[in-house]
Amino acid sequence: MAARAFWSGYLKLSLVTCPVAMMPVRRDSGALHFHTLNRRTGHRVLSRYVDALDGRPVADDDQVLGYPRDEESYVLLEDAELDAVALDSTHTIDVTQFVPAGQVGLVWYDTPHFLLPNDPVGAEAFAVIRAAMAAGNMVGISRLVLYRRERAVLLEPRDRGMVLWTLHYGNEVRDAADYFAPAEDGYGRAEMGLLQKLIDRQSRPWDPDMLDDPVREKLLEMIAARHRGRRRAKAGAAPAPGGQVVSIMDALRASLEETGGDESGKGKRRKRS
């Protein structure tokens, strides 16, 4: 069953406009949610804003946003002042820039959403925009108010719809050059050959099942055991790591032996001689 759209508005490209709807790609149906409880009474614990100095609860009408001016004072900003600088892009995705898809690095991508036409009359305009972007391998850049704040967004044509990604702002992403030192070719051809063979042996077609969540499964097992009135046995200690490998060549050869079997990497491990 298709999820209901959490946002609806318009996609605009120059004088072409069409109604669209959007929903997050990620679904929360499989997520585990916990409540904080009072261990003594079993009742839920509620969070409340209190004054940091006198500890008294602060009513909603007395709460205001403040920007630190120094260690002891703040610049107070009222809701009306914040609304005055907000964009008028709450309901329109106005695409004014396009860039080659490959030029936007993955570190800039934040949260994906499915974007699709929301009216049969505008479906043709949406399809033409999507097809033209796909033909040129281009993505669109725009701005939109989502989750109560202005965000830069990227539109990527995908199948019969688009994926709208919220993007990190420039000041939110660290410069990789500050952390990644220039690469050094301190390896030999033999090591490279063994490593490429190891990668080839462990390569296989993409399957979403690769991204299973073992922690979630263990939590569900533990919750079910508690619900049945018994405690789940504690997990055994992790096996101690083996001795240190003398060299990368030894490690690569040992890795190839452990992943031996059929070339797909799915075969059983071969016994060492």
Side-chain angles (χ1 to χ4, degrees):
M1 181 177 180
R4 295 181 58 183
F6 89 108
W7 181 94
S8 60
Y10 296 90
L11 174 63
K12 183 176 182 293
L13 174 57
S14 188
L15 299 179
V16 180
T17 304
C18 58
V20 291
M22 179 168 50
M23 63 281 298
V25 169
R26 181 179 180 272
R27 57 186 178 188
D28 293 326
S29 59
L32 296 180
H33 299 281
F34 297 93
H35 297 291
T36 301
L37 306 178
N38 183 331
R39 184 191 300 274
R40 183 176 57 83
T41 65
H43 301 158
R44 288 183 57 184
V45 176
L46 301 180
S47 299
R48 302 177 66 183
Y49 282 104
V50 300
D51 190 288
L53 294 183
D54 62 27
R56 295 178 180 178
V58 180
D60 291 347
D61 292 341
D62 292 330
Q63 297 173 18
V64 63
L65 296 179
Y67 184 85
R69 181 164 45 194
D70 51 47
E71 294 184 358
E72 298 182 354
S73 62
Y74 298 83
V75 176
L76 303 185
L77 298 172
E78 300 293 341
D79 290 342
E81 295 174 300
L82 296 174
D83 292 339
V85 298
L87 289 181
D88 295 329
S89 56
T90 306
H91 297 290
T92 301
I93 307 169
D94 189 359
V95 184
T96 58
Q97 301 177 83
F98 293 90
V99 298
Q103 291 186 3
V104 183
L106 293 179
V107 296
W108 296 99
Y109 287 64
D110 185 13
T111 305
H113 307 74
F114 288 138
L115 188 71
L116 59 154
N118 198 28
D119 187 306
V121 176
E124 181 179 359
F126 180 92
V128 171
I129 295 174
R130 184 201 66 238
M133 292 170 61
N137 194 29
M138 306 293 283
V139 295
I141 304 295
S142 184
R143 294 180 181 274
L144 186 64
V145 175
L146 279 179
Y147 308 110
R148 302 184 64 179
R149 62 169 286 197
E150 172 201 335
R151 299 174 186 271
V153 297
L154 177 148
L155 281 75
E156 171 194 4
R158 179 80 61 86
D159 300 326
R160 299 183 64 181
M162 296 187 193
V163 177
L164 181 145
W165 288 85
T166 57
L167 299 176
H168 298 295
Y169 281 118
N171 61 343
E172 295 177 332
V173 178
R174 293 186 173 95
D175 188 348
D178 294 338
Y179 301 90
F180 296 159
E184 297 180 2
D185 296 338
Y187 50 81
R189 291 185 178 180
E191 291 94 329
M192 177 64 73
L194 288 176
L195 188 53
Q196 289 178 331
K197 184 180 294 185
L198 178 62
I199 292 174
D200 291 342
R201 185 170 292 179
Q202 295 184 221
S203 298
R204 61 201 65 178
W206 160 250
D207 187 335
D209 288 340
M210 293 178 179
L211 306 182
D212 61 349
D213 187 352
V215 173
R216 178 179 180 275
E217 297 303 321
K218 291 178 181 178
L219 283 172
L220 288 174
E221 179 186 345
M222 181 173 62
I223 292 170
R226 295 287 178 84
H227 183 68
R228 291 193 298 267
R230 61 182 178 83
R231 290 182 177 271
R232 180 177 178 271
K234 293 184 178 180
Q244 293 184 347
V245 179
V246 176
S247 68
I248 188 174
M249 290 293 290
D250 293 338
L252 289 172
R253 291 193 181 100
S255 298
L256 287 171
E257 290 181 7
E258 288 188 354
T259 58
D262 57 40
E263 289 302 316
S264 66
K266 299 179 181 179
K268 296 182 179 179
R269 295 178 179 178
R270 292 182 296 185
K271 294 182 179 179
R272 297 183 181 181
S273 56

